[in-house]
Amino acid sequence: MSAKLWLFKADPKEYSIDDLANEPNQTTSWDGIRNYMARNLIRDEIKKGDKILLYHSNADPKGIVGLGKVVRSAYPDDSALDQTSAYYDPKSAKDNPIWYMVDIKLVEIFPEVIELRELKDTRGLEKMMLTQRGSRLSIQPVRESEWKIIMQLASKVK
DNA sequence: GCCAACGTTGGC
DNA sequence: GCCAACGTTGGC
């Protein structure tokens, strides 16, 4: 089975692609997902080897900033059990975890951000979840055709 | 800073 | 189980 394609959003004020670049082995656990739709994707669909577009939201410029890959499939998000964590969730329990995370590793930082504006203006990306009005899901599936177009946009600026 | 869109909560 | 109220996301 071939790798699936995803887009992971992050607010760079909280966690940016540069933070990922500075991690040991440029790898981190993608914790803190507290939305059930995103959780279902993480837990059930996202597997080791899948490829990821990394997106900066609430930023200037906002857009796709690079690529990552999944290096560990879903396992319980222990930040949900940590009372000192901002992601603590009292409904979660060690023997019955609600929330999951995957580990991701940096693949590439694009030399320039592919801005949301540009994505919205690009033919073939009209149906991409990211470009839809009011789309807030922080983990999104990406179509093969959309991935290819974005790779072309990324190579143009090199 | 505003506010539309959307998910979640909680009263009933 | 419905749905209004509320909180959050995130583009503008």
Side-chain angles (χ1 to χ4, degrees):
Chain A
M1 212 175 77
S2 66
K4 291 188 190 154
L5 308 171
W6 307 98
L7 179 142
F8 282 22
K9 266 189 212 170
D11 182 335
K13 289 190 284 299
E14 286 169 25
Y15 194 85
S16 76
I17 196 167
D18 295 318
D19 294 325
L20 178 57
N22 289 326
E23 299 278 2
N25 207 23
Q26 300 193 327
T27 298
T28 193
S29 54
W30 202 259
D31 63 1
I33 296 296
R34 296 293 179 270
N35 168 285
Y36 284 102
M37 221 183 299
R39 187 283 307 269
N40 291 346
L41 292 175
I42 289 231
R43 188 190 56 189
D44 305 332
E45 303 286 338
I46 302 181
K47 299 298 175 193
K48 184 176 174 182
D50 286 1
K51 301 197 273 188
I52 306 162
L53 300 170
L54 297 167
Y55 179 84
H56 280 175
S57 60
N58 279 316
D60 187 17
K62 57 184 159 301
I64 296 170
V65 291
L67 302 177
K69 65 177 177 183
V70 180
V71 292
R72 181 176 174 186
S73 299
Y75 61 108
D77 180 348
D78 50 20
S79 71
L81 304 174
D82 175 2
Q83 294 199 34
T84 67
S85 168
Y87 300 127
Y88 175 64
D89 180 357
K91 295 192 296 301
S92 195
K94 196 170 179 77
D95 56 1
N96 185 24
I98 300 175
W99 305 112
Y100 289 79
M101 60 189 175
V102 294
D103 288 355
I104 76 163
K105 182 180 170 99
L106 180 68
V107 170
E108 178 183 355
I109 298 179
F110 291 157
E112 282 181 44
V113 177
I114 305 175
E115 294 194 39
L116 179 61
R117 179 77 261 153
E118 184 178 2
L119 296 168
K120 285 186 170 175
D121 287 343
T122 299
R123 277 193 66 182
L125 301 182
E126 297 89 349
K127 292 193 175 146
M128 194 179 180
M129 193 180 287
L130 184 73
T131 62
Q132 306 304 304
R133 177 175 167 79
S135 164
R136 304 192 332 193
L137 197 58
S138 59
I139 304 276
Q140 305 181 353
V142 176
R143 295 176 184 85
E144 186 91 39
S145 60
E146 294 161 352
W147 183 278
K148 281 184 185 154
I149 291 168
I150 289 161
M151 292 310 110
Q152 282 176 4
L153 293 175
S155 64
K156 261 186 207 165
V157 298
K158 280 180 190 168

